[in-house]
Amino acid sequence: ITLPSTEVRPTRSGNYILVIYEDNIDEPVLTRKLYVYESLVSVDAYFSKATKFEDIMTRQELNFSIHHPTYRISNSSKLNVVIKQNGREDNKIVNPKPISILSSSISYEGGGNIVFDGGGEFRSFDIKSLRYRLDGVSHISTQSRNEYVAILHSDQSRRNLAYESKPDINGRYVIKTEDWDDQMQAEYVRVNFHLKTTGPVIGGDIYIFGELTDWKYLPKAKMKEMDKYGEYVCSMVLKQGYYNYHYMFLPHGTNIGDVSQIEGNYWETENDYTIFIYYREDGDISDKLISIKKLKSTQRR
């Protein structure tokens, strides 16, 4: 399906949900978020060293300004700003306080209040082929006629290690097979994860996390503790392809994950960021999405 098409074309900017279902719309097969935006304002954004001393080595500070010389923003309280890191929803920042408001620009620069944990570069594994081992895979086997199993190399906690630069795709994945010319023939594979920590993790649970879990803390992606020495395992069925992932610690009683517990926390880490700018015009009943700005944490001034 290609959108927009001659039959389906949005008439307003904003947030949309694509729902795919068989017989009952209340029982969807899958849903996907879509964003339709109008380039009504421009956004100048960059990253800098964190303002607060305690954040300098671990966090990434975003600065940006909204410029609207030809678009009238008469009431800044009707402006809604959402900032997301990679594909995450749990740690997004909503409506940070502007530093200055002028007639044709609104500045969020220099306040030191828009900061994100840097985390670590994403781990990866490659299951594009089941005929030979690729990146991150220790062993491939066939447990039954219809089930392939990929056992990944054992992972270690990186919390107290130095930052390591490593190319990644910032938590995303690519569906692809090298075993067949027809990509529709890509197999499903049971992938076994194994994590060793310096000791049992208390006060919360460890999840496999990234686009492969739709950036959610899924029950099927929850690591199981094997012994009292800090060994954790999990098994997930995934389509052939190339995957990034993190081990995310989710403290009990919260829905915001802590990346530093297993992956470490480094200001140098490359992350993707997206700034969404919404505005509700006078007399309107919904917000317009008047700009989207994408940038990487390596973009500095």
Side-chain angles (χ1 to χ4, degrees):
I1 184 172
T2 301
L3 296 174
S5 66
T6 55
E7 293 82 15
V8 179
R9 186 173 297 275
T11 59
R12 300 181 63 87
S13 62
N15 300 348
Y16 288 81
I17 295 181
L18 173 67
V19 182
I20 299 176
Y21 64 97
E22 290 189 69
D23 301 313
N24 185 353
I25 194 172
D26 294 324
E27 298 177 359
V29 175
L30 64 87
T31 62
R32 282 293 179 269
K33 295 178 181 178
L34 304 174
Y35 300 95
V36 177
Y37 72 98
E38 306 172 65
S39 297
L40 299 177
V41 302
S42 63
V43 179
D44 178 29
Y46 63 95
F47 282 86
S48 63
K49 272 293 190 77
T51 301
K52 297 179 181 177
F53 178 79
E54 61 270 24
D55 294 338
I56 289 177
M57 300 305 296
T58 59
R59 311 193 81 187
Q60 297 173 340
E61 182 170 314
L62 175 64
N63 302 270
F64 68 96
S65 294
I66 301 171
H67 302 284
H68 57 100
T70 60
Y71 180 72
R72 185 169 180 263
I73 297 179
S74 58
N75 187 348
S76 61
S77 66
K78 293 184 178 181
L79 192 71
N80 288 302
V81 177
V82 179
I83 307 161
K84 297 182 182 180
Q85 182 192 54
N86 300 318
R88 292 180 64 177
E89 288 279 345
D90 60 322
N91 68 337
K92 65 184 178 183
I93 293 177
V94 179
N95 289 336
K97 186 177 180 181
I99 302 303
S100 65
I101 301 175
L102 304 177
S103 59
S104 61
S105 66
I106 301 172
S107 174
Y108 297 81
E109 299 185 49
N113 60 338
I114 309 176
V115 290
F116 290 82
D117 285 343
E121 303 294 353
F122 282 88
R123 304 172 193 258
S124 64
F125 63 90
D126 193 336
I127 52 172
K128 293 195 296 291
S129 177
L130 300 174
R131 298 172 181 172
Y132 48 88
R133 290 176 296 163
L134 294 170
D135 176 46
V137 179
S138 172
H139 183 68
I140 298 174
S141 65
T142 305
Q143 286 194 348
S144 66
R145 184 177 179 181
N146 297 317
E147 184 175 59
Y148 292 92
V149 178
I151 300 172
L152 303 186
H153 289 298
S154 180
D155 286 319
Q156 307 284 335
S157 172
R158 303 188 296 193
R159 182 176 183 180
N160 296 315
L161 302 180
Y163 168 73
E164 180 183 358
S165 177
K166 181 181 178 182
D168 63 11
I169 53 175
N170 289 337
R172 295 171 176 82
Y173 66 83
V174 178
I175 300 298
K176 183 177 175 60
T177 178
E178 294 179 353
D179 297 331
W180 309 95
D181 292 332
D182 183 358
Q183 295 300 307
M184 295 294 289
Q185 291 183 282
E187 299 283 358
Y188 283 98
V189 184
R190 181 168 295 280
V191 181
N192 290 344
F193 298 82
H194 180 226
L195 171 67
K196 289 184 179 180
T197 65
T198 55
V201 177
I202 59 175
D205 299 300
I206 301 173
Y207 288 82
I208 298 165
F209 188 78
E211 192 180 41
L212 79 171
T213 63
D214 201 22
W215 302 100
K216 298 175 182 177
Y217 301 99
L218 302 179
K220 67 180 181 181
K222 181 179 175 179
M223 303 291 289
K224 296 179 182 178
E225 186 176 0
M226 294 299 294
D227 56 40
K228 63 181 179 180
Y229 301 106
E231 296 223 12
Y232 296 82
V233 298
C234 184
S235 178
M236 294 179 64
V237 176
L238 300 168
K239 197 79 168 175
Q240 278 187 274
Y242 177 78
Y243 290 82
N244 275 186
Y245 66 102
H246 265 162
Y247 291 110
M248 190 73 74
F249 176 69
L250 185 65
H252 294 152
T254 182
N255 59 359
I256 302 176
D258 178 5
V259 68
S260 67
Q261 184 76 23
I262 304 297
E263 303 297 349
N265 217 8
Y266 313 95
W267 70 269
E268 303 101 320
T269 301
E270 187 223 28
N271 290 299
D272 290 330
Y273 287 86
T274 308
I275 306 171
F276 300 85
I277 310 296
Y278 300 87
Y279 185 66
R280 183 166 299 192
E281 296 180 348
D282 293 341
D284 216 338
I285 60 173
S286 64
D287 289 0
K288 284 185 174 182
L289 181 50
I290 60 175
S291 185
I292 289 180
K293 175 70 174 182
K294 294 184 177 182
L295 74 159
K296 294 183 179 295
S297 56
T298 51
Q299 293 179 227
R300 299 177 176 273
R301 177 174 292 179

